[in-house]
Amino acid sequence: MATSTIELAKSWLCEGRSALQVDDLFFRYRTTSEQARTWALEQVSFQVAAGEILGIVGPNGSGKSSLLKVLARLVSSHRGTILLGGQSLQQLSQHDIAQIVAVVPQEYVQVFPFTVAETVLMGRFPHRTPRFWSIGFGDDTEKDLICAHQAMIETDVLSLADRLMSDLSGGERQRVVIARALAQEPKILLLDEPTAFLDINHQIEICSLISRLRAERRLTVVLVSHDLNVASQYCDRVLMLKEGRLYRIGSPVETIRPDVLRMVYGCEVVVDAHPQTGRPRVTMPVGIGSAE
Amino acid sequence: MNPVTQVPPPPTHVESASIEHPALTTDTAHLLSQWMKTGSILTLHRWLLVIGGLIVASVVVLVVCLEFGATPVEIRTVVGAILSLLQREHIDADGLGTPGVIMVQIRLPRVLMGFLVGASLAGIGVTLQALLRNPLADPYVLGVSSGAALGVSLAMLLGIGTGFALLPTLPLFGFLGGLLSLVLIYRLAQSQGRLPVHSLLLAGVILNAILTALIMFITTIMDPNRSAGLMAWLMGSLTAPSYPALGVFVLYVAVVLAILMHKAQMLNVMTLGEDIARSLGIETEWVKKQLFVLTALLTGAVVSVSGMIGFVGMVIPHVVRMLVGSDHRLLFPASALVGGMFLVVSDTIARTLLAPSEIPVGIVTALAGGPFFLYLLLCRKDRMN
């Protein structure tokens, strides 16, 4: 074996070819309850080009988060093929995947009082080589510190290094979680609702951070959002899910349209152009009972 | 509903996509020294300082506690006895005198055993807390100890292994009982991939009640002469083991604790939740199974020699975490050392308070730990409101 699968995947991604290829994907959760018998994802096929930002949108329960979890193999037992850097996801170990894909989960619950610096350094876990005699004390190498330091500068959390995670505000915590993902040195970043529960200023901050990271680190980004405007303004392409099926994928102009949204969400919305970017902007219509 | 599949746009950056790191070597050294000062991260320096200090403290505690007991023995005699023991080629009881015999045959093995039991209980506590992402997890509270105790009582009822000579059979039954209840409680408390704090504790309480009832049932159908001994053991008590038995126990506990400590980094990541642990490259299902088996092995061994000693596994890691931080590379060994010291001191109190009669050490630890547990529970409630 001259080159391992993981090396092939990494070099594939460096060449800037399609980062993710999903073909005829089926997935359902392994539970015994009746309602869970249905597929969470059905017949989903799409590609993600290297360096693009893909937004996944859809109504609640349409399978957005499930799709993200399947892509990082946080849940297994899917049917169909997923190619990560040209290599089948099945052939890569969890450890291999972690060297390429980083995940920023929707909620980040930290039970124990770790400091910000400790949290970010945990992102180095997939790159640590376990030494038998280190009795668990795998000392942080200089490379680990450099990567953590760099990630903390990029997300502007270096000044928080010695603070406890529990003492941070929502926006700060989200930046630290992104720093942890960056310390992982991923090629692909998956984010689940990165702006949920954040104030407008932090929403802007996180979104512009993601755009900047894509440019600076040449990251491929897949983000799930319930906020259609976030998807429209910050994503190159938008993937729409409806009841576990891919309804439409394309540029924001092609997807964020009143007729498409009516079909997917089953409601009327107002879509006009954003005054600065010209991209579609979604607002609630004046309905019965609303103040005029 | 045909999905419009579109060819993705050409990538914007085709040239080399590797990230160039600016040369940060000197900066990193500076940063490291800064982080060392503020305690932001665990460094080897801090690790050695804390662990070294705790080892010294442990030795002091062990020696001082040797002095206390029903028959007071002076510390100088203690040291003299140990030194003379080391100088001799073979140990003979006559050369030591009565204090020496008490020391070498009874008190020393008991104190060492107490230290190991305490260290193991704290180690189990740290591991369970990380695994279940719950700072209130404790083998006693969750019913893991009861499971192990049921296994051991069953072995005693069936007459398999009645003494230390057959050490492996009792821990084996303890291990099986502990593992069974651990897996059961995990299944009971888990819902949709999550482990809610309160449902875990509730499941533990219920399981504990059922298992205790079963143990009580066993004691009632048992020969009354033997059931009295069983009851004393159940309340958590230490006895002086024979040296071969102590040797086996040392080896067993040391191996399991070393393996657990080897997984300290993994425990750190596991505390972030299963999804994040998986995204950081951990095969969580496999790691969980390993940790379940290791903690059950340790619980089985500890329960078979000392019965149900509660709250050491919860209180000690909690206090140590407040003092040294959450990084398991330091938290695990530090908790083990502090747990060992705590149990030796508790046992000394149990031995001396009502001398010449003894209180089961489990009562001492429960009286010290129970109120602390309630205090923590109240603190959590405050924070949630």
Side-chain angles (χ1 to χ4, degrees):
Chain A
M1 219 165 83
T3 325
S4 61
T5 321
I6 174 75
E7 293 306 324
L8 284 172
K10 277 182 183 169
S11 61
W12 173 289
L13 286 162
C14 285
E15 286 161 23
R17 295 150 87 176
S18 76
L20 280 163
Q21 265 174 285
V22 177
D23 209 16
D24 206 22
L25 173 74
F26 284 76
F27 168 76
R28 65 177 159 198
Y29 287 97
R30 263 188 289 182
T31 46
T32 43
S33 68
E34 278 299 316
Q35 49 111 26
R37 288 275 170 78
T38 51
W39 295 101
L41 294 167
E42 231 175 314
Q43 218 184 342
V44 176
S45 307
F46 63 96
Q47 290 189 19
V48 187
E52 85 164 317
I53 300 183
L54 177 75
I56 300 174
V57 298
N60 294 338
S62 58
K64 304 188 293 275
S65 294
S66 302
L67 180 55
L68 207 68
K69 286 184 178 181
V70 171
L71 291 182
R73 216 173 67 189
L74 302 185
V75 287
S76 45
S77 78
H78 64 265
R79 241 165 58 189
T81 44
I82 299 176
L83 298 184
L84 175 64
Q87 307 302 315
S88 167
L89 202 63
Q90 304 292 349
Q91 283 172 11
L92 296 165
S93 71
Q94 202 70 42
H95 186 255
D96 289 341
I97 297 169
Q99 293 185 21
I100 301 177
V101 182
V103 181
V104 174
Q106 183 173 2
E107 48 175 353
Y108 189 80
V109 190
Q110 206 160 38
V111 188
F112 299 106
F114 284 100
T115 65
V116 167
E118 282 172 339
T119 306
V120 175
L121 270 168
M122 278 190 217
R124 297 302 300 163
F125 188 82
H127 298 280
R128 286 208 172 95
T129 40
R131 284 169 294 168
F132 185 77
W133 291 113
S134 66
I135 46 167
F137 196 82
D139 213 350
D140 303 307
T141 63
E142 194 175 12
K143 177 94 192 297
D144 293 336
L145 289 170
I146 291 173
C147 288
H149 183 245
Q150 178 71 17
M152 287 166 85
I153 290 174
E154 281 173 62
T155 50
D156 195 23
V157 293
L158 196 59
S159 57
L160 305 173
D162 60 338
R163 299 265 295 276
L164 291 180
M165 284 299 277
S166 47
D167 298 341
L168 302 182
S169 71
E172 288 171 332
R173 194 175 311 144
Q174 188 68 298
R175 292 211 307 268
V176 174
V177 177
I178 293 174
R180 202 255 304 133
L182 292 179
Q184 220 172 320
E185 292 188 292
K187 303 271 183 256
I188 300 169
L189 185 62
L190 307 180
L191 304 105
D192 195 354
E193 301 279 10
T195 57
F197 316 120
L198 293 184
D199 299 336
I200 184 84
N201 53 335
H202 291 129
Q203 286 186 25
I204 295 167
E205 195 179 85
I206 296 295
C207 287
S208 44
L209 172 65
I210 293 167
S211 313
R212 209 178 68 225
L213 289 174
R214 183 267 290 269
E216 285 171 6
R217 292 206 173 214
R218 286 150 208 175
L219 278 173
T220 306
V221 179
V222 178
L223 67 88
V224 163
S225 183
H226 70 282
D227 189 335
L228 292 169
N229 286 320
V230 166
S232 175
Q233 300 308 316
Y234 291 96
C235 297
D236 300 320
R237 287 193 306 149
V238 176
L239 186 159
M240 267 185 183
L241 284 174
K242 188 195 177 191
E243 289 159 9
R245 286 172 175 269
L246 191 149
Y247 186 77
R248 182 164 291 202
I249 183 168
S251 67
V253 180
E254 291 167 315
T255 48
I256 313 283
R257 285 177 10 190
D259 56 328
V260 176
L261 295 176
R262 190 187 308 125
M263 286 303 294
V264 173
Y265 289 87
C267 64
E268 294 295 333
V269 289
V270 177
V271 178
D272 59 356
H274 190 280
Q276 287 176 313
T277 60
R279 290 191 176 197
R281 180 177 65 175
V282 181
T283 29
M284 280 187 255
V286 179
I288 305 153
S290 62
E292 260 184 86
Chain B
M1 271 218 305
N2 231 2
V4 183
T5 319
Q6 188 203 18
V7 183
T12 37
H13 303 284
V14 191
E15 73 274 24
S16 150
S18 67
I19 306 149
E20 296 294 328
H21 284 296
L24 271 171
T25 325
T26 47
D27 268 9
T28 315
H30 174 66
L31 181 79
L32 188 60
S33 68
Q34 211 176 6
W35 280 358
M36 261 167 78
K37 270 185 221 138
T38 54
S40 307
I41 58 166
L42 177 61
T43 53
L44 190 59
H45 180 75
R46 185 150 69 94
W47 192 88
L48 289 172
L49 214 66
V50 173
I51 295 301
L54 285 174
I55 288 173
V56 172
S58 300
V59 172
V60 171
V61 165
L62 284 176
V63 172
V64 169
C65 284
L66 279 174
E67 199 180 345
F68 291 94
T71 320
V73 180
E74 268 190 42
I75 211 159
R76 240 177 293 142
T77 331
V78 175
V79 176
I82 292 170
L83 284 179
S84 70
L85 188 72
L86 291 176
Q87 281 164 0
R88 263 159 232 249
E89 290 286 308
H90 57 96
I91 306 155
D92 58 333
D94 302 334
L96 288 168
T98 318
V101 171
I102 291 174
M103 190 59 48
V104 173
Q105 301 280 2
I106 298 165
R107 231 172 260 174
L108 184 63
R110 176 161 173 168
V111 163
L112 288 175
M113 183 65 116
F115 190 81
L116 287 172
V117 167
S120 306
L121 285 172
I124 296 165
V126 172
T127 312
L128 282 180
Q129 288 174 9
L131 190 61
L132 303 171
R133 296 190 294 286
N134 187 336
L136 298 180
D138 172 83
Y140 181 79
V141 173
L142 292 181
V144 185
S145 296
S146 310
L150 182 63
V152 174
S153 335
L154 212 60
M156 283 178 170
L157 179 72
L158 299 173
I160 319 164
T162 40
F164 280 122
L166 288 164
L167 194 75
T169 48
L170 290 184
L172 182 71
F173 271 74
F175 159 67
L176 291 174
L179 186 62
L180 215 64
S181 55
L182 192 50
V183 171
L184 202 63
I185 190 143
Y186 191 80
R187 286 284 163 85
L188 282 173
Q190 194 185 31
S191 70
Q192 294 161 355
R194 273 177 234 210
L195 281 168
V197 176
H198 289 93
S199 76
L200 190 72
L201 291 179
L202 198 63
V205 168
I206 304 297
L207 191 67
N208 227 333
I210 297 169
L211 291 169
T212 311
L214 288 172
I215 295 169
M216 290 303 145
F217 177 69
I218 287 179
T219 56
T220 51
I221 60 170
M222 221 175 185
D223 169 21
N225 294 326
R226 281 167 62 206
S227 71
L230 188 68
M231 285 302 288
W233 163 78
L234 273 177
M235 278 191 273
S237 50
L238 288 165
T239 46
S242 69
Y243 275 100
L246 183 67
V248 172
F249 191 70
V250 168
L251 203 69
Y252 185 102
V253 165
V255 167
V256 180
L257 283 179
I259 298 173
L260 280 174
M261 190 161 152
H262 192 62
K263 298 189 182 302
Q265 282 274 22
M266 218 170 252
L267 286 178
N268 279 342
V269 178
M270 287 297 281
T271 64
L272 302 183
E274 268 178 59
D275 273 357
I276 299 178
R278 278 179 83 84
S279 80
L280 285 170
I282 292 180
E283 302 278 0
T284 46
E285 290 305 314
W286 170 230
V287 168
K288 258 177 357 198
K289 277 177 198 147
Q290 286 179 320
L291 293 174
F292 277 153
V293 169
L294 287 166
T295 43
L297 276 173
L298 214 49
T299 312
V302 167
V303 168
S304 69
V305 299
S306 64
M308 310 238 282
I309 298 175
F311 298 105
V312 180
M314 191 263 310
V315 174
I316 300 300
H318 209 98
V319 172
V320 175
R321 193 178 287 118
M322 282 196 282
L323 296 174
V324 306
S326 300
D327 195 320
H328 286 78
R329 292 174 294 179
L330 179 57
L331 178 64
F332 189 85
S335 296
L337 289 168
V338 175
M341 282 191 265
F342 176 75
L343 199 63
V344 168
V345 172
S346 300
D347 187 46
T348 308
I349 294 170
R351 279 189 290 131
T352 50
L353 201 64
L354 294 179
S357 65
E358 277 187 19
I359 317 166
V361 66
I363 292 177
V364 177
T365 61
L367 284 179
F372 187 73
F373 180 86
L374 285 177
Y375 164 73
L376 290 179
L377 210 59
L378 288 173
C379 284
R380 289 184 69 84
K381 210 193 260 170
D382 280 350
R383 221 185 308 150
M384 276 168 200
N385 288 344

